[in-house]
Amino acid sequence: MGSTIKYLESILKDNKEIVIACSGGPDSMALLFLLCELKDKYKNKIIVCHVNHQKREESKEEAEFVKDYALEHNCLFEYFILPHKDNVNFHSYAHKERYNFYERVLKKYNAKVIMTAHHATDLAETVLMRIIRGSTLKGYSGFLKESRQEGYSIIRPLINLTKEEIKEFVDKNNIPYRSDYTNEEDHYMRNRIRHYVLPMLEKENKSFYKHINSFSKKIYDANEYIASIVKEKYDIIINNNIIDINKLNKEKEFLQKEVILEYLRRNYLKEEVLSDKILDSIINLKNNSNPNKKINLPLNKVLVKEYNKLYFKEEEYESFREELIDNLSINNYSFKYIKSSDNHTNYCIGLASKNIKLPLYVRSRCNSDKMQVKNMVGHKKIKDILIDEKIPLVKRDAIPIVVDSNDKIIWIPGIKKSQLCEDNYEKCDIIIKVHLRKER
């Protein structure tokens, strides 16, 4: 723990405002304890951030526990309740919303550092999970002690300590904490790795966690070096977002794949598309003897081979206008009229027929479309709403717009409701729920 404290002191000397992500578990409470022990020496302001994921009955009590500890130790406290959202990957959604919250707090206090309690056991779990599932070279490195972001740094001071070492420190210093029973369940791969795989590997070599840290750093450094070479080659091989196959083929196979991966990164917002399966399909397309061929890729993109060229062509959605009848399916959306609901998300609406002109229709969006968004003053362009919601351009024309017979916009399913949508479904004679199917 001595080296960890020295490292913390070096950060606290140069950064007066420190934001810490604190769940209330033993790891984050150990880190908070250390910061509280050191803050007076360096006159730091500690801002404790807690997120309630609304997944367990104990969540409210845990939030109060963290708040009380923070205030008792003269720290500031910031709290965020994760909104419920249907039809999303929960872990991906929660991660994104947590860091959006942290960034808001950093900005509020003009802080440049956020600390998390990720440790050596977390790193080993992450690296092994990515080896099992497959990843990019950078992905195999897991995470670093320090990660530079735009305007701030994520620092993980406990990365050289195992979970057991942290627990011993917590017990020795009588640091209070809360336990999450889901960490003991074997439902998740991470838990199975923690309970069964890591103890066996540690038994094989006591220095296992030290070697994982070293492995992570070496992989990261190797990736950074390769990325610098890819950057040099990219503009030679790719022009106007078109890959020159002849120029690509002059490079070693490994570098070819890295250039293609960078091409995918620049054409997709999400790293999920960077899979070995998709990469292999692109290599096979490149090497195919047929001079004109194409393959379908995620988010309605098509990669076309045209003689010596590879380029993206986005699938075009045909314009549509259909009456919104029960069980209507259009693009990836399925609509259902229901009698009652306790779902008040953007995936369900309640309407009073006296306020609209029936029948309802589902149509394509138009450039001039505006909607009076619920709980907002005035009208807002549909285009701006989709931009604010960070909907990729390739998906916007597929989103149905629900209108009445006067073409008054009522609802953007799954995204926003208009002022015509009622909060109290008991006042409604029309309730509609939409299900968004997963994309291929």
Side-chain angles (χ1 to χ4, degrees):
M1 189 62 74
S3 60
T4 299
I5 292 172
K6 282 185 178 181
Y7 174 71
L8 274 173
E9 288 186 313
S10 70
I11 301 298
L12 296 177
K13 284 178 183 177
D14 298 327
N15 298 275
K16 294 305 177 186
E17 294 80 22
I18 302 290
V19 176
I20 171 177
C22 184
S23 67
D27 311 325
S28 59
M29 290 305 297
L31 180 56
L32 179 55
F33 172 84
L34 289 171
L35 290 175
C36 290
E37 289 287 298
L38 296 169
K39 68 182 175 65
D40 291 340
K41 181 179 179 180
Y42 297 103
K43 296 180 171 55
N44 299 105
K45 181 187 291 184
I46 307 298
I47 304 102
V48 181
C49 291
H50 181 79
V51 177
N52 180 349
H53 294 89
Q54 301 196 83
K55 280 291 186 179
R56 293 176 293 111
E57 292 181 2
E58 300 85 358
S59 295
K60 287 185 179 179
E61 191 280 329
E62 289 168 355
E64 287 300 318
F65 162 71
V66 175
K67 178 181 178 180
D68 290 345
Y69 187 95
L71 298 181
E72 183 183 337
H73 290 80
N74 298 315
C75 299
L76 297 167
F77 180 74
E78 294 285 344
Y79 184 43
F80 176 65
I81 299 176
L82 184 72
H84 175 75
K85 197 166 186 178
D86 292 327
N87 301 303
V88 296
N89 179 314
F90 176 77
H91 292 290
S92 177
Y93 163 66
H95 181 271
K96 178 183 175 183
E97 291 302 315
R98 275 199 306 273
Y99 277 87
N100 285 341
F101 165 55
Y102 299 152
E103 287 178 4
R104 292 195 297 272
V105 174
L106 286 159
K107 187 174 181 180
K108 177 179 178 179
Y109 294 98
N110 196 30
K112 303 299 180 186
V113 168
I114 178 166
M115 291 188 181
T116 70
H118 291 98
H119 45 70
T121 308
D122 288 326
L123 178 59
E125 291 164 5
T126 300
V127 169
L128 290 174
M129 282 175 65
R130 291 180 181 173
I131 289 172
I132 292 167
R133 290 175 172 170
S135 185
T136 60
L137 189 62
K138 183 180 179 181
Y140 289 128
S141 69
F143 50 80
L144 295 176
K145 190 172 189 174
E146 296 184 13
S147 300
R148 303 290 176 188
Q149 306 297 315
E150 189 174 340
Y152 68 97
S153 295
I154 302 172
I155 295 180
R156 305 172 178 93
L158 308 183
I159 198 170
N160 294 318
L161 300 171
T162 67
K163 191 172 187 67
E164 288 302 315
E165 289 171 329
I166 295 169
K167 185 63 167 57
E168 287 175 12
F169 175 78
V170 165
D171 292 342
K172 181 179 177 181
N173 290 275
N174 295 315
I175 302 170
Y177 64 89
R178 293 294 183 265
S179 297
D180 181 351
Y181 67 85
T182 62
N183 289 332
E184 304 305 316
E185 297 175 347
D186 286 341
H187 178 69
Y188 298 107
M189 181 194 290
R190 182 179 289 276
N191 289 1
R192 294 194 296 272
I193 290 172
R194 181 185 306 151
H195 297 156
Y196 307 112
V197 180
L198 293 183
M200 183 178 65
L201 293 173
E202 190 176 11
K203 189 176 179 180
E204 290 291 331
N205 189 331
K206 294 293 183 183
S207 300
F208 166 70
Y209 291 106
K210 181 180 178 182
H211 294 324
I212 281 285
N213 263 287
S214 176
F215 171 82
S216 169
K217 187 65 170 63
K218 286 175 182 175
I219 292 293
Y220 180 84
D221 288 344
N223 179 73
E224 288 293 286
Y225 174 70
I226 292 166
S228 67
I229 298 174
V230 169
K231 188 176 180 181
E232 291 176 9
K233 298 288 185 180
Y234 192 89
D235 292 336
I236 298 171
I237 296 169
I238 300 169
N239 188 29
N240 292 325
N241 213 35
I242 298 172
I243 298 175
D244 186 316
I245 295 176
N246 285 342
K247 291 179 179 177
L248 182 66
N249 285 339
K250 290 179 181 178
E251 306 298 334
K252 297 286 187 182
E253 185 178 347
F254 175 81
L255 195 59
Q256 288 184 34
K257 290 182 177 181
E258 290 299 314
V259 169
I260 292 172
L261 283 172
E262 180 60 23
Y263 182 67
L264 291 173
R265 287 189 190 97
R266 297 191 187 192
N267 281 277
Y268 281 101
L269 294 176
K270 297 182 178 180
E271 290 261 333
E272 289 94 289
V273 301
L274 307 182
S275 69
D276 289 339
K277 183 178 179 181
I278 288 175
L279 183 57
D280 289 342
S281 67
I282 295 173
I283 294 294
N284 289 336
L285 175 66
K286 174 184 75 75
N287 295 334
N288 195 289
S289 59
N290 191 330
N292 292 285
K293 197 172 175 62
K294 64 181 182 180
I295 57 173
N296 295 318
L297 293 178
L299 299 182
N300 300 301
K301 285 180 178 285
V302 177
L303 190 66
V304 176
K305 179 187 179 184
E306 187 180 280
Y307 296 97
N308 185 44
K309 299 176 181 177
L310 278 177
Y311 60 90
F312 274 115
K313 179 181 179 182
E314 293 172 4
E315 281 189 357
E316 296 180 0
Y317 289 98
E318 294 182 4
S319 61
F320 55 89
R321 180 183 174 88
E322 296 189 32
E323 185 176 342
L324 206 172
I325 59 174
D326 193 25
N327 293 318
L328 173 68
S329 290
I330 191 159
N331 294 332
N332 287 324
Y333 296 78
S334 297
F335 295 87
K336 179 75 177 173
Y337 283 83
I338 55 179
K339 293 183 178 179
S340 63
S341 178
D342 58 0
N343 185 340
H344 290 275
T345 70
N346 288 318
Y347 290 87
C348 189
I349 60 163
L351 301 167
S353 57
K354 64 181 181 180
N355 298 327
I356 56 177
K357 184 173 182 182
L358 297 174
L360 298 176
Y361 289 90
V362 176
R363 66 162 172 81
S364 310
R365 73 184 180 101
C366 301
N367 288 333
S368 59
D369 278 343
K370 293 182 179 180
M371 182 174 80
Q372 191 171 8
V373 180
K374 193 168 184 63
N375 300 321
M376 282 183 61
V377 178
H379 289 73
K380 188 168 184 175
K381 289 183 179 180
I382 300 299
K383 177 183 176 182
D384 291 338
I385 293 172
L386 299 181
I387 290 171
D388 290 346
E389 293 294 314
K390 298 181 180 179
I391 306 298
L393 183 63
V394 295
K395 295 177 70 174
R396 292 176 198 167
D397 288 334
I399 295 172
I401 306 296
V402 176
V403 299
D404 70 0
S405 291
N406 288 329
D407 206 41
K408 192 163 190 175
I409 296 176
I410 293 170
W411 183 29
I412 312 174
I415 298 174
K416 289 290 181 185
K417 300 176 185 179
S418 77
Q419 296 281 23
L420 294 167
C421 300
E422 302 283 350
D423 288 324
N424 186 354
Y425 289 164
E426 291 182 2
K427 297 180 180 179
C428 304
D429 54 352
I430 300 171
I431 303 176
I432 308 170
K433 188 174 183 179
V434 68
H435 174 66
L436 180 57
R437 300 192 304 274
K438 290 183 178 180
E439 297 192 72
R440 57 180 169 78

